[in-house]
């Protein structure tokens, strides 16, 4: 009887964990979607001013001030509520898993700070992700729920059990970020554990499954009655005809290069963090006038991405993550004789205000600028993940390679005697997986990518380039999470 | 330097492991395909005899004798070369992983017996799989390769290392069976390990990735120049429109029922095995006249499946596993007003010789007969896996439920105000995953199913019913592998 009670409690616990997190994630999505819309709307309003100079001043003001205000608020609230909420959270969870007690990281206060800060950060569209923070939040929920159960039932309290629950919490966190329940379980195991008790495998699965299901049901009921089960970044490559064996060496090379890029990302990130920590001016800035840094950086970010100046070279009107559907698109951006041509809506953002820029300029500028911007933004004192930065940068890299190949081959490739269309979108998906895998040192990114794109036909290319990228990057550098742990301790 | 050498050896080792196994699996596929073709050809020849009674005698003889001869040979050779090759192999590997030394199970002799026996078994189309045996073979290759490396480099010899390599071996085995590299890694972890060292995760991935890639390259070069990257049982459900939220309760119920069916499968299997072991007549049969049992059973199998008698009620002309594409098909077998109708080729095998049987009779007879036949066949003294039996039975169950729903709703279902076609194939995929998950107690069957069908859009339904099926079955019974271990020891 006791065992049955113990087990049924487990189920309820995991169901609760999944439900709470999926509702929180949905609520956050709802807010961030609307703040982003508001930003677009305000910008469009300012854009309608007729006198040239005023129009530019107004749009620039609206564009930039939005970032400054949101980030200022995020930094302020995070600092006031709980400074433990700053950053990704995965390094801390990893530390907790290794047996170090970081109690203040698992309080409701931290959770609140993380939620508020993250919502503001994502809501303004900085190139930062919610993955790490959601893992952190989910772990807090798991640990608080644990305590709740324990306070009734003292006998069940034990170390290993609460660590099991924490593991399920991590899985739910990743699952909620991408609606990728299976990839979430695997990713959280790879990132946090050294030894993994297979017997607890189902916990993560069940909790993540609950989260995904509830999220789907709520979306259907509240928002989108015409439900179609599309993935977050649904791709539509044709089954069996999306790539050929001849492209495999290119995919492998991409994995190799992105492994090195991933290592560079980690090195640059570490050096910037260490510089900010050791440099005298930076030190003063952080300790006495800590408000200046977020304001400065968000102002800089707004200025650089302002769509009428530099922003036109990097799809500036689009928020960082909303470039992904473009990058994963079936069509070929460059005008090739064969292959699918793009609709206006896709190419518009990437060819500048009056379509005069080459897409390659946009793609390269986009990659260089956001490589540094996403690293710099991640040093802000706000909750912020870095997985999605790598994902988008990798996708842009892949799209670039794919477009080059498409131009070289004029949009077609031979496969078994027949010609078939080339898909630069496949390259983008592979690039996204490879770079995200490289900086996190996880091969389970493959599964996340399948779930995020809703297609598994790119199985082999993704696996090959992820394995190569992860291997190359692990030889060169520790993972981004281990790097942060080393900086901190 | 030493470390670099150590690591580079690892890579070569895993590459070799993947290559050898994928080539072996391809070779086996090549032979079994041709023996199956030969059987069909011989049957067709016999079918052309004009005198009625002779035709029936000849077809019956060809149909049945083929099974008898092949199984007799398989049993004879397995016994002569190495009786350790009998059965699945996964229970033994699991035992080895728990630290028990079963040296004779990892010799080249066992490997040879397994290969020959399995080729003959699969070549005649008995309802048995190659998953377990391939895992076993792959473990032998891993362990032999280990020994080879160790004989040069005594310093590297250690217990944990050879167990790491064995784990990679298991992963490759599953990966080769279904060309499911990721699912293979996860399945082998879940089945064999209790605690899993995450640091070794990449080994399995790399080896399985190599196996899948080499298998693909060789197929392209030797066999199919017009390569399309289709999965083994590629499904073609429309993205986002294959199922609706209203069907989720049915999917959950299916998971529940299949969990119980899985437990029943395990109980029946155990009781038959124990009966054969304890009954006096059976004992005598096995010890003194061990040849009688395989001949008897294969004769019985041939008689029951003979296409012109009972076989017409269970798609008798088709080999057991080649029914899967029918079961996963997009169309609706029963004639509904809406929804996709089937091509003749699909319905032909399921409606009897002159299309007079209801498809439900065929489906139900198929399930009942093969439930028992696949259990009985798995008690034969030959190498044989049981995963695919559960997979196909589950698919047939799912198709049955799907067809019932289709008839009730006349082939259409409402989703967000619009009507859309119903897909009984989705039910079949879910059923296959749930029953295979139930008997093996593994949730990673989900990933295998995504890879095997080449589609991941059925993520949520599959996850839900697999989790339910696994949970229900684990409450009722140990997994089929643990059950075999308990019987043996």
């Amino acid at each position: 009887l006791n065992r049955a009670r113990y087990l049924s409690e487990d189920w309820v616990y995991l169901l609760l964990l999944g439900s709470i997190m999926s509702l929180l994630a949905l609520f956050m999505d709802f807010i961030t979607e609307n703040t982003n819309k508001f930003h677009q709307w305000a910008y469009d309003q300012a854009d309608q001013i007729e006198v040239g100079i005023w129009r530019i001043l107004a749009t620039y003001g609206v564009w930039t001030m939005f970032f400054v205000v949101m980030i200022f608020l995020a930094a302020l609230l995070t600092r006031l509520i709980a400074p433990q909420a700053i950053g990704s959270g995965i390094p801390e969870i990893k530390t907790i898993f290794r047996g170090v007690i970081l109690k203040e990281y698992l309080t409701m206060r931290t959770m609140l700070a993380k939620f508020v800060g993250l919502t503001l950060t994502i809501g303004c569209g900085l190139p930062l992700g919610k993955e790490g923070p959601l893992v952190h939040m989910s772990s807090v929920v798991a640990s608080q729920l644990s305590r709740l159960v324990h306070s009734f039932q003292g006998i069940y309290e034990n170390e290993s059990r609460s660590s099991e629950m924490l593991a399920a919490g991590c899985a739910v966190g990743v699952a909620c970020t991408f609606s990728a329940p299976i990839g979430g379980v695997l990713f959280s195991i790879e990132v946090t554990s050294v030894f993994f008790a297979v017997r607890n495998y189902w916990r993560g699965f069940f909790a993540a499954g609950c989260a995904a299901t509830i999220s789907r049901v709520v979306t259907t009921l509240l928002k989108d009655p015409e439900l179609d089960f599309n993935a977050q970044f649904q791709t539509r490559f044709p089954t069996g005809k999306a790539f050929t064996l001849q492209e495999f060496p290119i995919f492998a090379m991409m994995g190799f290069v992105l492994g090195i890029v991933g290592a560079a990302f980690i090195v640059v990130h570490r050096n910037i963090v260490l510089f900010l920590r050791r440099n005298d001016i930076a030190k003063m800035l952080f300790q006495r006038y800590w408000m200046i840094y977020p304001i400065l950086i968000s102002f800089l970010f707004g200025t650089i991405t302002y769509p009428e100046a530099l922003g036109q070279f990097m799809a500036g009107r689009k928020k960082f993550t909303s470039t992904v559907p473009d990058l994963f698109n079936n069509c070929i951006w460059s005008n090739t004789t064969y292959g699918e041509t793009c609709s206006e809506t896709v190419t518009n953002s990437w060819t500048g205000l009056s379509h005069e820029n080459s897409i390659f300029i946009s793609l390269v500028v986009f990659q260089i600028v956001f490589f540094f911007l996403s690293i710099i933004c991640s040093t802000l004192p706000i909750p912020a993940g870095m997985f999605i930065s790598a994902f988008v940068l990798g996708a842009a890299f892949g799209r670039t390679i794919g477009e080059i190949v498409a131009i070289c081959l004029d949009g077609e490739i031979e496969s078994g005697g027949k010609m078939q269309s080339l898909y630069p979108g496949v390259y983008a998906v592979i690039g996204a997986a490879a770079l995200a895998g490289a900086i996190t040192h996880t091969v389970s990114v493959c599964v996340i990518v399948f779930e995020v794109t809703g297609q598994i036909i790119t199985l082999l290319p993704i696996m090959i380039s992820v394995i190569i990228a992860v291997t190359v990057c692990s030889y060169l550098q520790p993972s981004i999470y281990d790097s942060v742990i080393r900086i901190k301790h």
Side-chain angles (χ1 to χ4, degrees), chain A residues 155-429:
Chain A
I155 23 163
Y156 295 134
E157 183 144 16
N158 65 57
E159 198 65 28
S160 79
R161 194 165 145 77
S162 65
S163 128
E164 283 166 18
M165 290 311 178
L166 212 55
C170 290
V172 170
V174 186
C176 287
T177 322
F178 302 110
S179 27
I182 296 175
V185 175
L186 303 179
F187 183 81
S188 67
I189 290 173
E190 247 189 302
V191 160
T192 54
S193 307
V194 177
F195 277 91
F196 178 69
V198 176
R199 150 184 66 90
N200 298 326
Y201 200 36
W202 69 269
R203 277 176 219 277
F205 262 89
F206 178 70
C210 286
T213 312
I214 285 164
S215 155
R216 191 51 86 173
V217 172
V218 172
T219 318
T220 317
L221 294 181
L222 292 186
K223 217 169 97 185
D224 183 12
E226 200 175 312
L227 170 80
D228 48 355
F229 283 86
N230 280 336
Q232 193 173 0
F233 299 127
Q234 183 72 51
T235 54
R236 293 174 193 282
F237 305 126
T239 306
K241 302 224 162 286
F243 53 92
T244 64
L245 207 57
Q246 308 159 53
E247 291 164 274
F248 274 47
I250 310 178
F251 299 150
M253 274 305 299
M254 279 172 62
F256 187 80
V257 173
L258 286 173
I260 296 171
V261 172
F265 188 91
I266 294 164
V267 170
V268 172
H269 175 265
R270 184 166 54 235
N271 284 320
I272 290 182
V273 173
L274 289 178
F275 170 81
L276 290 174
R277 196 168 280 201
R278 286 179 190 155
N279 182 278
D280 283 336
I281 304 169
K283 253 189 201 160
M284 197 187 64
L285 209 69
F286 276 109
Q287 278 154 13
R288 289 205 215 144
Y289 312 104
W290 60 270
M291 263 307 151
I292 293 175
Y293 187 66
I295 292 175
L296 202 74
I297 296 295
S298 51
F299 183 74
L300 186 77
F301 181 82
T303 308
I304 290 176
T305 57
Y306 174 56
E308 305 230 350
L310 273 171
Q312 61 178 293
F313 299 108
M314 46 182 129
R317 284 292 316 252
K318 294 221 167 175
K319 300 286 176 179
F320 187 60
T321 46
S322 45
T323 55
V324 174
D326 287 357
L327 296 167
F328 285 180
N329 204 291
N330 268 359
C331 65
I332 301 178
W333 291 5
S334 24
N335 278 317
T336 49
T337 322
Y338 306 98
E340 288 183 34
T341 32
C342 290
S343 66
E344 276 291 296
T345 47
V346 174
T347 42
N348 267 354
S349 0
W350 296 90
T351 47
L353 293 178
S354 40
H355 312 288
E356 72 285 15
N357 301 335
S358 153
I359 54 148
F360 288 105
I361 293 178
S362 295
L363 279 168
V364 171
V365 170
F366 181 87
Q367 285 170 69
I368 294 173
V369 169
F370 278 105
F371 182 90
F372 291 103
L373 274 186
S374 57
I375 290 174
I376 290 169
C377 287
S378 75
T379 64
L380 287 172
I382 49 174
M386 272 172 296
F387 184 94
I388 198 76
S389 319
F391 188 86
V392 178
L393 284 173
F397 177 84
R399 172 57 77 166
T400 316
I401 303 291
E403 292 290 338
I404 292 172
V405 175
I407 286 184
C408 293
L409 298 176
D410 208 16
E412 273 193 319
I413 193 155
E414 193 243 324
S415 163
K418 279 186 195 167
M419 299 306 280
Q420 67 182 46
S421 172
L422 200 117
Y423 291 90
V426 171
Y427 290 74
V429 174

Side-chain angles (χ1 to χ4, degrees), chain A residues 39-52 54-63 306 308:
Chain A
H39 192 196
Q40 296 285 357
W41 173 84
Y43 184 86
D44 286 339
Q45 294 299 315
D47 206 18
Q48 279 163 17
I49 295 171
E50 274 171 22
V51 188
W54 288 115
R55 192 187 62 82
I56 286 180
L57 273 179
T59 49
Y60 177 68
V62 168
W63 184 261
Y306 174 56
E308 305 230 350

Side-chain angles (χ1 to χ4, degrees), chain A residues 15 17 92 126 161 273 334 417 455:
Chain A
L15 184 66
L17 174 62
E92 286 78 17
L126 241 56
R161 194 165 145 77
V273 173
S334 24
Q455 283 199 308

